[in-house]
Amino acid sequence: MRHKEFRTKPPEKVTFIFIVIFIVCGLVYTPGATGQEVNRMIIHTDKGKEQISRHIYGHFAEHLGRCVYEGFWVGEDSSIPNTRGIRNDVVEALKKIKIPVLRWPGGCFADEYHWKEGIGPRDKRSKMLNTHWGMVTETNAFGTHEFMDLCEQLGCEAYIAGNVGSGTVEEMQDWVEYMTFDGDTEMANLRRKNGREKPWQVRFFGVGNENWGCGGNMTPEEYAGLYNRYQTYVRNYSGNEIVKVACGPGSVNFHWIETIMDKVRNRMGAISLHHYVRGSGTWGHNQKGSATKFNEKDWFALMKNTLTIYPLLKDNIAIMDKYDSGNRIGLFVDEWGTWWDEEPGTTPGFLYQQNTMRDAVSCGIFLNAFNEYCHRVKMANIAQTNNVLQAMILTEGEKMIVTPTFHVFEMYTVHHDATMLPVDLQSNDYKYGNDGVPAVNVSASKDKSGTIHISFCNLNPNDAAEVSCALEGAEPESVSGRVLTADVMTAHNTFENPEVVKPATFNDFKLEGNVLTTTLPSKSVVVLALK
Ligand code: AHR
């Protein structure tokens, strides 16, 4: 999506007259039915080259607060309906968003996790202290077998994060062999003894997490040296092929990514990037602001902060391009999302936050950005699946609700593995005080059946946005749509009112030839399907 610019060479299939009208309209003030200036865009439906990996719609589950315990794991004896200890309602909900990949066991927890403590009979597993997250006792009831069972129940791929910060090379080597080797070795036989005859497929393996911080406080040079050593022993066994993921930067740290790209190069299949956003608060404890009690200043601040994902991707990719011009190494944004103060009255260190229409619009923007940079962004994992940070699912004992963010993921499933379509966008600003951001955010794709999907976000919480969209290279015959919006910015789902924010049918569009016009409600996410 390119803002406020158009290609210099007109596309062949759009008539000259149409282009002239389009450009002239873009240059002069042209109010639409709402009295607002019309936003204009061109979708190059015949210029799609890159596939949007479904892994961009990935998730992350850490041993943190109630993400794994209660969120997924309730135990076989629980009164909450479960399959081998994993709650059924959560699995069913996540299947609706076609969860493609799940990252586990951390996060910061990964670099203090010793996997051998989490196998064998549950009553014999040793307990450890979860020093990062609330100083609670980790029972190790949920370990490798339970996680792989969860992935099988969800029908998703496994992304394991290994321990570099406090683990040994041998421990990492053993884990990979335990999970994936089919032959006659101590590790493979131990797996069999613990109930799993055949090895699992483990496609993604992270060599450490945030090793510039909670994963060992290393310099990039130190980490690159360790990465090269550890990854040597992350081997492919019995037909399993692992994409090795090196630890990348947290938000802006170009020295880190440059050093890793330079010193690791082809020993990795991907490098990670973490990017959390907030409103007008600071990153201090209890200073990030409330998830649900905020005003327009905070709304605007989140929209502005969320849009930083565009230059962040562009700049990191430019560095990757220097060392990997063949585009072989993927950028995995394997932690991202909003981060608010913990809900009052909840356990400190558990990072439990509510989730409003503001989070939903932020999520739509992030996903549009990942779609746009899909030539390099091959995976992204929102933090985190249940009860932690920008969650899909909130639970309270046996009760379960889905969040506005869940609905965005569900609406965007249409982009999974589709071909990204380039978009030129000329958006008006959503102005707040002396500041402003583009009001409309968008991405588009074409799926295998030829259906074009456009996902729009209207960042303006007050005004609708009229959009005129030229479809270069296509003349679809029909349109259908869905919208996620709410009366107020702070709208959210609760256990008492679980359906305050949910998708509805959307009909506010018109198709004439290859020009689509639509009016996006204020503070909304809209997905249109054109056939
Ligand atoms: O997602 C919460 C934490 O944020 C993760 O454990 C860590 O990797 C990041 O700092």
Side-chain angles (χ1 to χ4, degrees):
M1 184 183 65
R2 287 162 290 230
H3 285 286
K4 299 198 170 181
E5 65 181 48
F6 290 98
R7 297 188 157 184
T8 45
K9 280 190 191 163
E12 306 91 16
K13 291 189 184 163
V14 179
T15 64
F16 176 70
I17 291 173
F18 178 80
I19 289 288
V20 170
I21 292 169
F22 194 86
I23 292 173
V24 169
C25 290
L27 297 176
V28 295
Y29 178 79
T30 47
T34 58
Q36 309 285 328
E37 192 176 347
V38 176
N39 303 278
R40 297 187 176 276
M41 54 188 266
I42 300 175
I43 302 182
H44 302 275
T45 73
D46 51 358
K47 298 269 188 319
K49 283 200 307 263
E50 304 290 341
Q51 192 184 42
I52 298 171
S53 170
R54 66 184 182 284
H55 296 123
I56 282 177
Y57 295 84
H59 295 266
F60 168 41
E62 181 167 12
H63 287 235
L64 194 181
R66 295 182 298 119
C67 183
V68 168
Y69 295 107
E70 186 182 314
F72 280 123
W73 181 256
V74 289
E76 286 153 338
D77 300 332
S78 172
S79 58
I80 298 173
N82 67 83
T83 302
R84 295 180 293 281
I86 295 166
R87 59 190 293 171
N88 296 342
D89 51 356
V90 170
V91 168
E92 281 318 303
L94 291 173
K95 279 183 171 169
K96 291 195 186 121
I97 57 174
K98 299 187 180 157
I99 175 171
V101 59
L102 186 62
R103 178 174 182 251
W104 172 85
C108 294
F109 182 78
D111 281 281
E112 63 176 9
Y113 180 62
H114 300 285
W115 69 272
K116 286 181 183 164
E117 296 175 0
I119 55 171
R122 270 185 220 110
D123 57 350
K124 300 218 166 44
R125 294 184 191 174
S126 58
K127 297 187 170 61
M128 67 174 279
L129 194 58
N130 190 334
T131 59
H132 281 290
W133 306 118
M135 285 287 178
V136 294
T137 302
E138 162 65 54
T139 63
N140 278 308
F142 190 89
T144 304
H145 289 251
E146 290 77 13
F147 173 68
M148 298 308 292
D149 188 15
L150 170 62
C151 290
E152 285 179 349
Q153 290 190 35
L154 290 167
C156 77
E157 290 184 276
Y159 175 8
I160 302 266
N163 181 347
V164 171
S166 71
T168 65
V169 179
E170 184 186 14
E171 190 180 358
M172 189 175 283
Q173 179 177 32
D174 283 353
W175 201 4
V176 175
E177 188 182 320
Y178 181 90
M179 291 186 287
T180 61
F181 188 56
D182 203 9
D184 178 17
T185 63
E186 189 188 340
M187 284 303 116
N189 290 332
L190 185 57
R191 181 192 69 237
R192 291 187 186 99
K193 188 174 151 218
N194 288 330
R196 174 77 185 196
E197 176 59 34
K198 282 282 153 205
W200 294 285
Q201 293 286 305
V202 177
R203 175 126 175 249
F204 305 103
F205 195 94
V207 181
N209 168 78
E210 294 195 354
N211 301 91
W212 35 263
C214 63
N217 284 305
M218 301 175 202
T219 64
E221 290 79 9
E222 284 167 340
Y223 172 72
L226 276 185
Y227 174 89
N228 285 334
R229 184 165 159 240
Y230 276 66
Q231 69 78 35
T232 307
Y233 305 94
V234 176
R235 300 192 191 278
N236 290 334
Y237 300 114
S238 312
N240 183 65
E241 281 191 28
I242 290 180
V243 176
K244 299 176 195 176
V245 188
C247 165
S251 295
V252 179
N253 188 343
F254 300 130
H255 175 58
W256 182 280
I257 191 165
E258 180 118 33
T259 309
I260 307 304
M261 288 301 296
D262 183 27
K263 298 200 180 311
V264 170
R265 302 224 180 185
N266 60 6
R267 293 186 201 94
M268 63 183 153
I271 187 164
S272 68
L273 170 69
H274 291 179
H275 191 49
Y276 289 101
V277 288
R278 54 179 165 75
S280 52
T282 68
W283 283 117
H285 180 60
N286 276 341
Q287 288 165 13
K288 298 174 201 75
S290 161
T292 54
K293 296 182 177 55
F294 57 84
N295 53 28
E296 191 177 343
K297 180 172 168 230
D298 296 312
W299 171 284
F300 178 81
L302 178 67
M303 297 303 125
K304 194 170 171 179
N305 289 337
T306 300
L307 289 166
T308 60
I309 188 63
Y310 283 92
L312 189 66
L313 293 177
K314 186 164 169 267
D315 294 345
N316 277 293
I317 290 170
I319 294 170
M320 294 179 76
D321 288 346
K322 264 171 52 185
Y323 297 89
D324 178 37
S325 55
N327 206 36
R328 194 193 63 80
I329 299 169
L331 182 61
F332 285 6
V333 190
D334 60 17
E335 288 186 31
W336 65 272
T338 57
W339 196 320
W340 308 117
D341 293 340
E342 291 165 329
E343 286 299 310
T346 60
T347 312
F350 276 23
L351 309 188
Y352 178 75
Q353 67 188 38
Q354 251 292 359
N355 192 302
T356 67
M357 198 56 227
R358 178 175 63 158
D359 298 85
V361 175
S362 172
C363 173
I365 298 169
F366 264 106
L367 295 173
N368 283 343
F370 299 150
N371 286 351
E372 179 167 335
Y373 284 97
C374 66
H375 69 287
R376 195 55 103 162
V377 179
K378 297 294 178 191
M379 189 191 289
N381 310 72
I382 189 169
Q384 298 193 6
T385 323
N386 315 311
N387 296 323
V388 170
L389 299 177
Q390 193 173 356
M392 305 299 109
I393 284 170
L394 303 178
T395 63
E396 207 175 76
E398 65 191 11
K399 290 186 245 163
M400 185 208 87
I401 58 171
V402 299
T403 63
T405 297
F406 171 96
H407 291 306
V408 177
F409 268 81
E410 188 273 317
M411 290 165 74
Y412 276 53
T413 53
V414 293
H415 289 308
H416 291 204
D417 291 335
T419 303
M420 191 274 285
L421 301 177
V423 177
D424 290 326
L425 171 69
Q426 193 172 52
S427 169
N428 305 314
D429 270 0
Y430 153 42
K431 296 198 177 80
Y432 181 77
N434 297 325
D435 213 346
V437 292
V440 176
N441 180 273
V442 71
S443 71
S445 70
K446 193 191 279 188
D447 70 13
K448 285 197 184 70
S449 74
T451 304
I452 295 166
H453 291 102
I454 315 173
S455 47
F456 295 99
C457 302
N458 181 2
L459 283 59
N460 191 321
N462 308 311
D463 299 324
E466 286 185 77
V467 181
S468 173
C469 173
L471 300 155
E472 178 203 305
E475 283 214 15
E477 288 169 0
S478 70
V479 193
S480 59
R482 292 169 78 207
V483 61
L484 191 73
T485 189
D487 293 343
V488 291
M489 294 182 285
T490 54
H492 57 281
N493 297 335
T494 63
F495 293 97
E496 295 70 39
N497 289 305
E499 297 198 343
V500 174
V501 185
K502 64 172 184 181
T505 303
F506 179 75
N507 289 316
D508 205 346
F509 49 74
K510 201 165 74 188
L511 184 64
E512 283 176 325
N514 65 348
V515 178
L516 171 80
T517 49
T518 182
T519 301
L520 311 172
S522 64
K523 50 178 154 13
S524 67
V525 176
V526 170
V527 176
L528 299 183
L530 289 78
K531 291 184 201 247

